Amino acid sequence: MSQQVYCLYCGGKMEDGEASCPHCQAPSHFQERGFAEGGRLRFILYFTLFAIAVLLVALWLPR
Ligand SMILES: [Zn+2]
């Protein structure tokens, strides 16, 4: 799934999957896929740990 973003250099619309801007040919700064995926993976890991912690606290707490 791709998303419409704006070029940092000319402000033109482009797809975030594009390697370079179709208007001014500047290299896209939205193309840092390795970093983005690493961050998302870490977010999922933290979210899972947080969910497990909440579940344990909910089970341990007296009702
Ligand atoms: Zn541009």
Side-chain angles (χ1 to χ4, degrees), residues 4-37:
Q4 289 269 296
V5 295
Y6 294 94
C7 174
L8 295 175
Y9 299 96
C10 70
K13 265 189 184 176
M14 58 187 284
E15 301 286 322
D16 74 344
E18 300 267 2
S20 62
C21 176
H23 307 287
C24 69
Q25 312 306 318
S28 173
H29 281 221
F30 301 100
Q31 193 72 356
E32 296 167 0
R33 294 202 176 277
F35 178 78
E37 276 179 17

